Amino acid sequence: MTRIGVHACRNIATNLVRRTRSAQHVAFAALLACVLGATSLPAHAASGPDPDALRLAAALTALDADPALAERAPLERYKARQALTMLQAARSRDRVHALFLAEAWVQAAQDAAQAEVLQAQGAQLDREREQILLEASRKEAADAQREAEHLRQQQLLREEETARQAEAGELAMAQATANTEAASAQASQAMKLADARAKEAELARKEADLAAAVEGLDDASALPPSRRVGNRTVYTLPGTAFASGSTRLGVGAQGSLKQLAAVLRGKSGIRIEAHTDSQGADAANLALSQQRADAVRAALASAGVPSARMQAVGKGESAPVADNASATGRARNRRVEISAP
Amino acid sequence: MPLSERKNRVLLALLLLLAAPMASAATPPDAEVAAANAALAAAARAQPRGPAAAMLADAQSRFAQAQDAMVRKKYKDAIRLADEARAGADRALAAARLANARDEVDTKSARNVDLRRQLLVTPGATP
């Protein structure tokens, strides 16, 4: 029973003693009512506001004032307010029970509100995840597009390079063809030129042979020109006595040698020396001169001069009588000299 | 009205006043017990851990006492204990949901960071 209740009942009991008998019954009833009613008074009626109720009310107020939590957990918040009202109205014997309920519901309201905030955060994180996946998908698509563009550019470059190489190849082929044709034309031209020169040389040779033949015919009845060297007479067959590069005596030279053989038939110690110009190799000239010397000796021998009296020597280009730098000089150097005492 | 009659009426009124609460406690509080039982089951489904598990254990203990009070026909006690078991279960449920929500947020945050790093950050770039 609270202090106020006790005080009121004490006053009633005092009055009960003082009053009349009839009044005592009324006072008795009032006392009983007072006893019964006192048990129904709130526990804090005599001591002022309940600090636990104040604390829990402050917690609920703070929950309401928090902008992030204000609209959260309305059911739990409602139950907490109900429990708080019951606590404020609870009799002393029910206070522990009411406080337990109020504590539990206020705490549940706080936790439920925070849980709802976190659940909203979780939903936001789910949306963020979807956004990340979307961005990743876009990025992947962009990467793929960039890669495709890169590959396309590379393909274009390859095609351009191929076309350029093909063009260069065609040009090179055309150039090569042109070069080949030019070389072929040049070779053909050179061949024609060579043929022309060969023909010209052949003609010249034939002309020379004809000239020599004509000269030989002219001189066939005459001795070869001679000169006196010491006690010997030297007869000289000119270079035209032989065809160019040949060891065969021309017609004129053969006639001339027949005349000379008539002179030399009774002589001994006959010496035949053949000479060439400086064109060609030394060994070849030496061999050619020896063969021409032998040809002259054979011609003289066939004309009646005994071979044993004749000595044929090829001197090659070793004893020139004129300058080999000119055609005239080379013609003079090509000669056969027959000497006898 | 004679005094004895008035006295009898007053006594009758007082008896009625006293009998009313007793009459209300004579009915078994099946609804309160069922509500508490449902709240405990809901809290258990949330798989509370740590402090929430302790709260649930306390609520289950109060519920057991309520059932015991029911058996002993202490219905007022049964009501009080069932209400406390229900409130405790609801508190445990809220605490479990809060803990689960925290874990979920932490997990999802870490997952998003990993996902962003794996899918969006260019290799070699400074994050």
Side-chain angles (χ1 to χ4, degrees), chain B residues 36 38-44 55-56 59-60 84-94:
Chain B
L40 285 168
M55 292 173 200
L56 178 60
Q60 286 168 335
E84 288 176 1
R86 180 185 177 189
D90 283 352
R91 183 183 177 191
L93 176 63

Side-chain angles (χ1 to χ4, degrees), chain A residues 97-178:
Chain A
H97 171 67
L99 179 58
F100 178 87
L101 294 182
E103 290 268 14
W105 282 116
V106 169
Q107 187 64 50
Q110 288 175 327
D111 287 354
Q114 288 182 1
E116 284 189 14
V117 169
L118 289 174
Q119 285 165 355
Q121 251 183 305
Q124 175 63 29
L125 288 169
D126 285 340
R127 287 192 291 276
E128 184 181 322
R129 177 177 181 273
E130 296 300 320
Q131 187 64 28
I132 291 171
L133 291 175
L134 181 63
E135 284 181 34
S137 175
R138 285 177 181 159
K139 180 173 179 289
E140 190 176 0
D143 288 348
Q145 190 174 5
R146 198 160 39 246
E147 179 64 18
E149 178 64 18
H150 179 65
L151 291 174
R152 195 179 69 81
Q153 292 289 344
Q154 281 187 333
Q155 181 65 24
L156 280 177
L157 287 175
R158 276 197 295 271
E159 289 175 0
E160 287 177 3
E161 179 67 16
T162 303
R164 194 180 63 74
Q165 286 178 351
E167 188 176 351
E170 287 176 2
L171 281 175
M173 193 175 293
Q175 186 68 35
T177 303

